[in-house]
C-alpha cells in the first residue's frame, strides 16, 4: 500500500490561546516496500504526521459537522488536505477506519506501557480479537498459531512466556511483547515511534534487527520515527525531515547526510559515518559513500587499494 | 476529556491576573457571602455588576465564563422545573393535577437560577485568572493560623499542588494509552454499558501502573533533593500586597456592605 499525503495541515486546540500549528502543508508520498525514516527536532510535527497514518488524528473533513473553511477576501481558499493509504481515503467520512487500522500497525513510544492483560498470550491476542470480522471470531487454534508466530518473530519463546504476566518480563522483553501485540494482525504498514528509545546499545541493535526481519516478510512497508541518525543512516531507504510542522527534505540518506550544515541549522545531528567523511575531507581525503558502516568501509578500502 | 473546566487557567496578563491570590480567595468568599445575603434582585444585580466588572478587567472572553455554567446546566434546569411547578403562591397562572404555575414560583426560580449562575461564574473566574501554583500558595498562606493546632498546612498545600499539577499529565497519558489501544483495534465508542466498561480496562490498568511509577519517581526525586517538609523552606515568589489588591479589597468590602444595606432597606423579593 502506498501512502500519499497532500497539503496535510493540523492545528492542535484550534481557536484557543493554546493553538499550535503542528503540521503545515505537508505533501509526501511513501512507496510500498520502503523502510522510511522520519526525523526532526522535538515538536517538529513528526509524531503528528505518523499519527495521521492510521487515523488516530483524523482529517477535519472526515469528521461529523465538518464545514469547508471559507477563503479570506482576495485570497484562494486553503488547499484541501488529502491523505490516502492504499485504497483508504482518510479525508472521507465513509472510510472503514477499523479496517484501516488493521492494515496500518502503530507502535508508540515506550510501547511496554500499553501492556495490560493478565498473561502475555492474552495481551498479544488483544488486537487479533478486536480486528476479527463480526461473527468470525478466530478459533483457539488460529489464535494460538498467530500469537506463537508473532512472539517468535520478536524473539520470545512462546512456551516460556505465554502464561507469564507481562509485568514480570524484563524491560526489553516487555517491549518485544508489545511489538508482537501490534504485528500479530499482520499489518501491511508498520509505523514505529522511537522503537529503540531508552534501550541499551545491544537492545537497540536487536530491535533494529527485528525490524529488518519484519520488514518485507510481515509488513511490506516500515515507517520509523527516530532521533538516532546512525539508526536512520544504517537502515532507511528514504528519510523525511520535519521542522516546525513543515516537510523540509524527503531524500535517501546518501543525499540527505551530505547536507550537514543545513541539518545542523535545523537542530539535527548527522550520523557518525558522515562525521568521519567530513573529518577526512578536512584532511584532504575526499570520499563518497552512502553513509552506512558497510558503505563507508568499502569506500575507504577502495581508496586504499587505488593508492597502493 | 479535554473539556474539563476545573483548574483551567486562561493565560493572559491582566489586572485581575496580577492580583494577590490570597486576596482573590478572600474576595471570592466575600462574593459568595454577598450572593447568599442578597434577598432581592437589587442585591443580585449589585453582585452581577461586580462580576461583570471583574470579567471586563480580566480579559477572559465572556463566552468562556458563560460556558462554565454548562457544567451545572442540568442542576439549573432541574431546580427551575421543580420550583416553577411546585412552589405555590397566590397569583396562579395555570393549574393541572399536582402542578401549579404561579407568579411567585417563576420569580423565585429566576432568582435561584441567577444565584447559581453567579456562584459558578465567580468560582470559575478564580481558576481562569489564577495559576494552580499561585492558588495553593495563597491557600497555604491563608491557612497558616491552623499551624498553631499542628494542622499540616504545608503538606496539604503540597498535596493539592501536586494533584493539580498531575491532572494534565494524567490526561495526556490517558490519551496516549487510549490511542495505543485504539491502534490495536480497541473500540471505546460503541456497544452497551457493560461492553463499554469492559473496554476501559486496557486503559485503566496501564494508567494505574504509570501513576504508581510516577509517584514513586517523584518521591525519590524529592528525597534526593533533601525535601523535608516546610522546615527552613523559603519561597521563590513571595506574595505581596499592592495598590491593585487594596483597590480590589475596597470593592469587595463595598459589595458586601452594599448588599447588606439593600437587604435592610429594600426588603425581600422572595
Amino acid at each position: 500500500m502506498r501512502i500519499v499525503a497532500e497539503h496535510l495541515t493540523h492545528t492542535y486546540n484550534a481557536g484557543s490561546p493554546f493553538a499550535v500549528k503542528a503540521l503545515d502543508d505537508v505533501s509526501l508520498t511513501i512507496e510500498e516496500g520502503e523502510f522510511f525514516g522520519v526525523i526532526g527536532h522535538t515538536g517538529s510535527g513528526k509524531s503528528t504526521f505518523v499519527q495521521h497514518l492510521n487515523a488516530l488524528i483524523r482529517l477535519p473533513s472526515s469528521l461529523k459537522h465538518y464545514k469547508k473553511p471559507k477563503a479570506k477576501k482576495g485570497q484562494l481558499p486553503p488547499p484541501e488536505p488529502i491523505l490516502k493509504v492504499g485504497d483508504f481515503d482518510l479525508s472521507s467520512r465513509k472510510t472503514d477506519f477499523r479496517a484501516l487500522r488493521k492494515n496500518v500497525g502503530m507502535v508508540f513510544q515506550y510501547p511496554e506501557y500499553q501492556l495490560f492483560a493478565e498473561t502475555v498470550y492474552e495481551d498479544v491476542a488483544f488486537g487479533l480479537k478486536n480486528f476479527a470480522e463480526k461473527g468470525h471470531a478466530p478459533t483457539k487454534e488460529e489464535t494460538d498459531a498467530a500469537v506463537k508466530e508473532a512472539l517468535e518473530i520478536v524473539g520470545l519463546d512462546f512456551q516460556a512466556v505465554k502464561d507469564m504476566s507481562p509485568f514480570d518480563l524484563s524491560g526489553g522483553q516487555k517491549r518485544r511483547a508489545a511489538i508482537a501485540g501490534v504485528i500479530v494482525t499482520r499489518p501491511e504498514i508498520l509505523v514505529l515511534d522511537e522503537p529503540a528509545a531508552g534501550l541499551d546499545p545491544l537492545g537497540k541493535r536487536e530491535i533494529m534487527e527485528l525490524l529488518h526481519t519484519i520488514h518485507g516478510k510481515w509488513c511490506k512497508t516500515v515507517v520509523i520515527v527516530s532521533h538516532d541518525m546512525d539508526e536512520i543512516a544504517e537502515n532507511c531507504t528514504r528519510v523525511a525531515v520535519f521542522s516546525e510542522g513543515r516537510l523540509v527534505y524527503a531524500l535517501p540518506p546518501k543525499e540527505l547526510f551530505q547536507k550537514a550544515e543545513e541539518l545542523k541549522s535545523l537542530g539535527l545531528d548527522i550520523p557518525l559515518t558522515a562525521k568521519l567523511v567530513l573529518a577526512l575531507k578536512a584532511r584532504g581525503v575526499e570520499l563518497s559513500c552512502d553513509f552506512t558502516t558497510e558503505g563507508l568501509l568499502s569506500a575507504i578500502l577502495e581508496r586504499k587499494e587505488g593508492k597502493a | 476529556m479535554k473539556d474539563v473546566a476545573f483548574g483551567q487557567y486562561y493565560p493572559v496578563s491582566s489586572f485581575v491576573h496580577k492580583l494577590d491570590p490570597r486576596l482573590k480567595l478572600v474576595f471570592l468568599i466575600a462574593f459568595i457571602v454577598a450572593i447568599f445575603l442578597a434577598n432581592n434582585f437589587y442585591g443580585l444585580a449589585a453582585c452581577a455588576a461586580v462580576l461583570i466588572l471583574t470579567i471586563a478587567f480580566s480579559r477572559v472572553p465572556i463566552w468562556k465564563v458563560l460556558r462554565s455554567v454548562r457544567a451545572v446546566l442540568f442542576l439549573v434546569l432541574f431546580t427551575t422545573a421543580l420550583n416553577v411547578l411546585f412552589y405555590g403562591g397566590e397569583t396562579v397562572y395555570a393549574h393541572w393535577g399536582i402542578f401549579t404555575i404561579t407568579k411567585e414560583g417563576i420569580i423565585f426560580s429566576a432568582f435561584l437560577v441567577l444565584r447559581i449562575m453567579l456562584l459558578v461564574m465567580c468560582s470559575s473566574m478564580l481558576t481562569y485568572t489564577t495559576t494552580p501554583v499561585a492558588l495553593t500558595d495563597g491557600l497555604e498562606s491563608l491557612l497558616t493560623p491552623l499551624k498553631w493546632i499542628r494542622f499540616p498546612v504545608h503538606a496539604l498545600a503540597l498535596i493539592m499542588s501536586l494533584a493539580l499539577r498531575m491532572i494534565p499529565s494524567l490526561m495526556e497519558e490517558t490519551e496516549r494509552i487510549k490511542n495505543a489501544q485504539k491502534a490495536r483495534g480497541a473500540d471505546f465508542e460503541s456497544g452497551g454499558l457493560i461492553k463499554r466498561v469492559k473496554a476501559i480496562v486496557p486503559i485503566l490498568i496501564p494508567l494505574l501502573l504509570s501513576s504508581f511509577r510516577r509517584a514513586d519517581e517523584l518521591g525519590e526525586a524529592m528525597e534526593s533533593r533533601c525535601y523535608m517538609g516546610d522546615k527552613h523552606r523559603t519561597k521563590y515568589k513571595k506574595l505581596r500586597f499592592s495598590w491593585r489588591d487594596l483597590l480590589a479589597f475596597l470593592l469587595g468590602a463595598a459589595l458586601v456592605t452594599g448588599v447588606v444595606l439593600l437587604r435592610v432597606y429594600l426588603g425581600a423579593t422572595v
Side-chain angles (χ1 to χ4, degrees):
Chain A
M1 297 204 299
R2 203 166 170 236
I3 301 168
V4 181
E6 272 168 46
H7 310 300
L8 210 57
T9 299
H10 186 77
T11 310
Y12 286 108
N13 301 314
S16 82
F18 302 102
V20 186
K21 203 164 197 180
L23 275 186
D24 192 359
D25 199 16
V26 169
S27 299
L28 177 67
T29 304
I30 302 175
E31 301 293 341
E32 182 171 304
E34 280 201 89
F35 199 115
F36 196 85
V38 179
I39 60 177
H41 209 252
T42 312
S44 60
K46 54 192 193 313
S47 288
T48 310
F49 174 71
V50 295
Q51 282 187 49
H52 272 92
L53 297 182
N54 72 349
L56 285 173
I57 297 176
R58 301 262 292 259
L59 291 186
S61 56
S62 75
L63 296 172
K64 270 186 211 168
H65 316 298
Y66 170 67
K67 279 188 205 114
K68 268 197 177 180
K70 276 180 199 149
K72 284 177 195 152
K73 260 184 193 166
Q75 279 181 2
L76 287 171
E80 279 288 292
I82 297 173
L83 181 59
K84 285 196 176 118
V85 178
D87 291 331
F88 295 100
D89 179 2
L90 274 69
S91 58
S92 156
R93 258 177 74 185
K94 294 184 190 103
T95 305
D96 182 354
F97 287 101
R98 217 167 65 102
L100 168 81
R101 287 190 183 137
K102 192 182 173 187
N103 280 294
V104 183
M106 179 92 179
V107 179
F108 279 86
Q109 241 178 74
Y110 299 103
E112 56 272 30
Y113 294 159
Q114 75 191 33
L115 297 169
F116 71 96
E118 277 172 53
T119 65
V120 175
Y121 179 93
E122 273 175 57
D123 209 291
V124 175
F126 181 64
L128 217 54
K129 280 178 192 149
N130 287 332
F131 284 126
E133 298 295 322
K134 262 202 183 124
H136 295 279
T139 62
K140 178 86 175 94
E141 286 76 35
E142 281 167 356
T143 316
D144 268 359
V147 172
K148 187 165 187 247
E149 219 176 340
L151 279 173
E152 269 162 12
I153 207 161
V154 299
L156 290 173
D157 183 358
F158 176 69
Q159 285 303 331
V161 300
K162 74 177 165 101
D163 295 321
M164 273 173 83
S165 161
F167 305 112
D168 288 338
L169 298 174
S170 75
Q173 283 177 323
K174 272 187 205 167
R175 187 163 298 187
R176 285 152 184 279
I179 293 177
V182 175
I183 62 168
V184 70
T185 52
R186 293 184 171 257
E188 281 211 27
I189 298 170
L190 184 64
V191 184
L192 304 105
D193 195 348
E194 300 251 14
L199 292 179
D200 57 43
L202 181 67
K204 274 187 192 182
R205 202 159 65 225
E206 281 174 353
I207 288 283
M208 291 319 290
E209 274 162 20
L210 163 65
L211 291 186
H212 275 290
T213 322
I214 295 172
H215 179 227
K217 236 196 240 168
W218 276 59
C219 310
K220 286 184 188 145
T221 315
V222 171
V223 178
I224 165 176
V225 176
S226 182
H227 274 119
D228 188 332
M229 296 301 148
D230 295 321
E231 223 170 80
I232 294 282
E234 211 62 48
N235 299 296
C236 294
T237 51
R238 248 175 359 125
V239 187
V241 182
F242 282 80
S243 176
E244 288 169 10
R246 289 180 166 271
L247 177 70
V248 189
Y249 302 112
L251 294 170
K254 190 181 176 184
E255 292 163 44
L256 180 71
F257 290 124
Q258 284 172 359
K259 303 177 187 292
E261 281 305 310
E262 289 92 328
L263 287 176
K264 209 174 169 187
S265 71
L266 296 174
L268 294 170
D269 205 7
I270 52 171
L272 217 58
T273 46
K275 283 181 192 158
L276 210 62
V277 170
L278 276 182
L280 285 170
K281 192 177 172 188
R283 301 192 181 188
V285 185
E286 292 266 357
L287 278 181
S288 84
C289 75
D290 59 2
F291 300 116
T292 62
T293 317
E294 207 42 55
L296 180 66
L297 270 179
S298 47
I300 293 174
L301 288 175
E302 236 169 68
R303 173 108 189 167
K304 192 184 157 204
E305 273 158 26
K307 266 200 177 164
Chain B
M1 215 21 139
K2 281 169 190 154
D3 280 344
V4 182
F6 174 67
Q8 236 183 29
Y9 179 64
Y10 191 84
V12 289
S13 173
S14 77
F15 183 89
V16 181
H17 283 75
K18 282 181 193 148
L19 287 173
D20 189 307
R22 286 173 298 186
L23 182 111
K24 277 191 265 189
L25 275 165
V26 174
F27 192 91
L28 178 68
I29 294 168
F31 195 88
I32 291 172
V33 168
I35 291 174
F36 280 107
L37 277 179
N39 60 353
N40 50 39
F41 279 105
Y42 301 103
L44 282 190
C47 292
V50 171
L51 181 68
I52 289 167
L53 203 68
T54 319
I55 296 172
F57 276 102
S58 71
R59 292 177 53 206
V60 177
I62 185 93
W63 58 266
K64 201 97 198 177
V65 186
L66 283 172
R67 234 172 58 172
S68 63
V69 180
R70 224 172 41 173
V72 292
L73 196 65
F74 178 74
L75 182 77
V76 169
L77 291 177
F78 190 69
T79 39
T80 319
L82 272 189
N83 279 305
V84 167
L85 294 176
F86 293 111
Y87 187 76
E90 277 157 20
T91 333
V92 177
Y93 288 140
H95 179 88
W96 68 98
I98 49 168
F99 306 120
T100 335
I101 295 179
T102 62
K103 185 180 167 194
E104 287 81 4
I106 290 173
I107 290 176
F108 181 70
S109 46
F111 188 80
L112 261 190
V113 167
L114 212 62
R115 203 178 236 181
I116 296 175
M117 277 179 64
L118 282 174
L119 268 178
V120 173
M121 277 156 72
C122 71
S123 321
S124 61
M125 273 311 287
L126 181 73
T127 50
Y128 278 141
T129 59
T130 322
T131 60
V133 177
L135 208 59
T136 42
D137 244 15
L139 202 68
E140 188 184 348
S141 171
L142 282 179
L143 290 180
T144 312
L146 286 181
K147 276 184 187 162
W148 295 335
I149 54 163
R150 295 185 168 262
F151 185 79
V153 173
H154 176 78
L156 186 80
L158 183 78
I159 291 169
M160 247 186 78
S161 57
L162 283 183
L164 285 173
R165 151 74 187 77
M166 284 300 166
I167 289 174
S169 301
L170 273 181
M171 298 231 286
E172 215 169 85
E173 184 88 14
T174 313
E175 201 62 30
R176 260 176 43 128
I177 296 170
K178 200 173 161 187
N179 271 346
Q181 308 298 24
K182 252 174 154 175
R184 291 208 281 167
D187 181 6
F188 303 113
E189 272 109 33
S190 65
L193 184 70
I194 294 176
K195 202 184 154 211
R196 279 192 198 202
V197 171
K198 267 190 178 165
I200 297 176
V201 172
I203 299 181
L204 221 53
I205 291 177
L207 197 63
L208 220 78
L209 276 169
S210 80
S211 307
F212 279 120
R213 202 180 48 241
R214 258 173 217 273
D216 208 38
E217 280 169 6
L218 187 69
E220 251 164 45
M222 285 168 73
E223 262 178 13
S224 68
R225 281 180 240 171
C226 303
Y227 177 78
M228 318 240 288
D230 58 348
K231 257 185 222 162
H232 319 296
R233 216 169 145 74
T234 52
K235 287 225 148 89
Y236 176 54
K237 277 188 183 161
K238 279 226 156 145
L239 298 175
R240 263 200 200 98
F241 253 63
S242 70
W243 60 272
R244 289 192 196 88
D245 302 305
L246 185 69
L247 222 69
F249 176 78
L250 291 177
L251 181 68
L255 176 70
V256 177
T257 338
V259 168
V260 170
L261 288 178
L262 284 169
R263 187 185 162 98
V264 171
Y265 289 108
L266 291 176
T269 323
V270 286

